[in-house]
């Protein structure tokens, strides 16, 4: 019955986020508290056409349920907040695995959490947050606003997080985050950020993504990779 905002965050930084928001209360009657009773579900579209369609919940929902479009991009479907820990509540839906969710977002180039967006390292515009309703250029003030706005209006963003696919046999332990991505001639093109199996994200120089790229592994091997531009980018 009072104005309420729900914020979703990486569980690993829940305490840090609460502390950070508490610093900005400044004589306001604002309460910041976790909601452990809510479960977060992702309702993913099976086809690109379904990304723009409607999702129907099975009625009646037994408990409080909130269904909202994922604000980042339509290919990520919907976010479902509910107290129900049972099977899928969506008509015609199938219960998937968490790995399916992460693979889906890596394939579409959507970063999430502290592994994809390391605090103090990932820059908003290089991480494509402006494409995902994650940056406002009309409000202020926030930490880093001046640099972010100047970079945006100058239109010079040399590096971006691109979805990548790894080709060939992978090391047993996978690709180490932070591994250098090299061109065919051995020049640095960027760094591998994170991923799952043969898909992931890499921070790459835009002019380097069309040529052959590879990562040298600790076993003196070499893993080729290809980068792509997501179709949901403006």
């Amino acid at each position: 019955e009072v104005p309420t905002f729900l914020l979703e965050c990486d569980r690993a930084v829940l305490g840090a986020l609460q502390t950070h928001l508490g610093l900005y209360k400044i004589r306001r009657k604002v309460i910041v508290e976790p909601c452990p009773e809510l479960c977060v579900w992702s309702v993913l579209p099976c086809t690109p056409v379904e990304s723009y369609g409607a999702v129907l919940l099975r009625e009646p929902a037994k408990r409080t349920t909130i269904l909202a479009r994922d604000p980042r991009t339509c290919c990520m479907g919907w976010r479902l907040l509910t107290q129900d820990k049972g099977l899928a509540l969506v008509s015609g839906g199938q219960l998937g695995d968490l790995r399916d969710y992460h693979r889906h977002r890596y394939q579409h180039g959507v970063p999430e959490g502290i592994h994809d967006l390391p605090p103090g390292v990932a820059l908003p515009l290089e991480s494509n947050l402006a494409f995902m309703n994650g940056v406002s250029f009309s409000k202020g003030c926030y930490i880093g606003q001046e640099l972010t706005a100047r970079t945006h209006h100058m239109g010079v963003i040399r590096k971006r997080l691109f979805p990548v696919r790894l080709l060939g046999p992978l090391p047993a332990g996978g690709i180490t985050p932070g591994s250098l991505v090299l061109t065919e001639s051995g020049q640095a093109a960027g760094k591998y950020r994170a991923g799952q199996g043969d898909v992931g994200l890499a921070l790459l120089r835009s002019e380097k993504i069309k040529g052959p790229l590879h990562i040298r592994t600790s076993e003196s091997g070499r893993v080729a990779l290809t980068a792509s531009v997501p179709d949901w980018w403006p």
Side-chain angles (χ1 to χ4, degrees), residues 106-107 109 162-166 192-202:
Y106 280 135
Q107 287 175 326
F162 288 94
V164 295
R165 182 174 292 275
L166 304 171
Y192 182 78
R193 178 63 60 79
Q196 178 177 284
D198 62 344
V199 294
L201 298 170

Side-chain angles (χ1 to χ4, degrees), residues 6 46 48 50 52 108 112 141 149 165 182 202 204 211 232:
L6 292 173
C46 292
E50 291 181 2
Y52 301 93
H108 288 85
E112 179 180 291
C141 158
R165 182 174 292 275
L182 305 172
L204 303 172
W232 55 269

Side-chain angles (χ1 to χ4, degrees), residues 22-30:
L23 296 174
Y24 295 93
K25 288 170 63 173
I26 311 178
R27 297 187 297 277
R28 297 292 189 271
K29 294 181 179 180
V30 177

Side-chain angles (χ1 to χ4, degrees), residues 11-171:
R11 184 175 300 175
V13 295
L14 176 58
L17 178 61
Q18 285 183 262
T19 301
H20 180 76
L21 294 177
L23 296 174
Y24 295 93
K25 288 170 63 173
I26 311 178
R27 297 187 297 277
R28 297 292 189 271
K29 294 181 179 180
V30 177
I31 300 174
V32 180
E33 57 186 2
C35 299
E37 72 279 5
L38 287 178
C39 297
V40 182
W41 296 80
S42 178
V43 183
L44 297 177
C46 292
T47 65
V49 174
E50 291 181 2
S51 300
Y52 301 93
V55 166
L56 299 178
L57 291 179
R58 289 175 181 163
E59 296 293 346
K62 294 180 180 179
R63 303 183 183 181
T64 302
T65 301
I66 299 173
L67 180 68
R69 281 195 174 275
D70 192 310
R72 296 171 293 184
T73 168
C74 63
C75 66
M76 289 304 296
W78 299 261
R79 304 304 265 186
L80 176 63
L81 305 177
T82 177
Q83 295 181 14
D84 195 332
K85 294 182 172 65
L87 295 176
L89 297 171
V90 180
S91 178
Q94 296 180 347
L95 188 63
D97 187 273
L98 187 59
R99 290 173 296 183
D100 299 330
Y101 168 75
H102 289 305
R103 184 172 182 83
H104 178 86
R105 66 179 186 81
Y106 280 135
Q107 287 175 326
H108 288 85
V110 178
E112 179 180 291
I114 60 174
H115 294 295
D116 299 343
L117 303 168
V121 175
L123 297 179
L125 299 186
E126 289 184 348
S127 304
N128 309 314
L129 299 190
F131 298 165
M132 297 186 286
N133 297 308
V135 180
S136 173
F137 298 103
S138 60
K139 70 171 289 293
C141 158
Y142 53 85
I143 296 175
Q145 178 193 20
E146 183 178 350
L147 175 60
T148 301
R150 184 168 67 247
T151 303
H152 169 71
H153 292 297
M154 289 178 64
V156 182
I157 303 170
R158 294 184 174 86
K159 294 184 291 183
R160 287 192 181 276
L161 269 185
F162 288 94
V164 295
R165 182 174 292 275
L166 304 171
L167 309 173
L170 301 179

Side-chain angles (χ1 to χ4, degrees), residues 166-180 192-200 215-223:
L166 304 171
L167 309 173
L170 301 179
I175 301 297
T176 304
S179 297
L180 280 176
Y192 182 78
R193 178 63 60 79
Q196 178 177 284
D198 62 344
V199 294
I215 295 175
R216 292 174 184 162
T217 65
S218 57
E219 295 85 359
S220 300
R222 177 168 162 161
V223 176

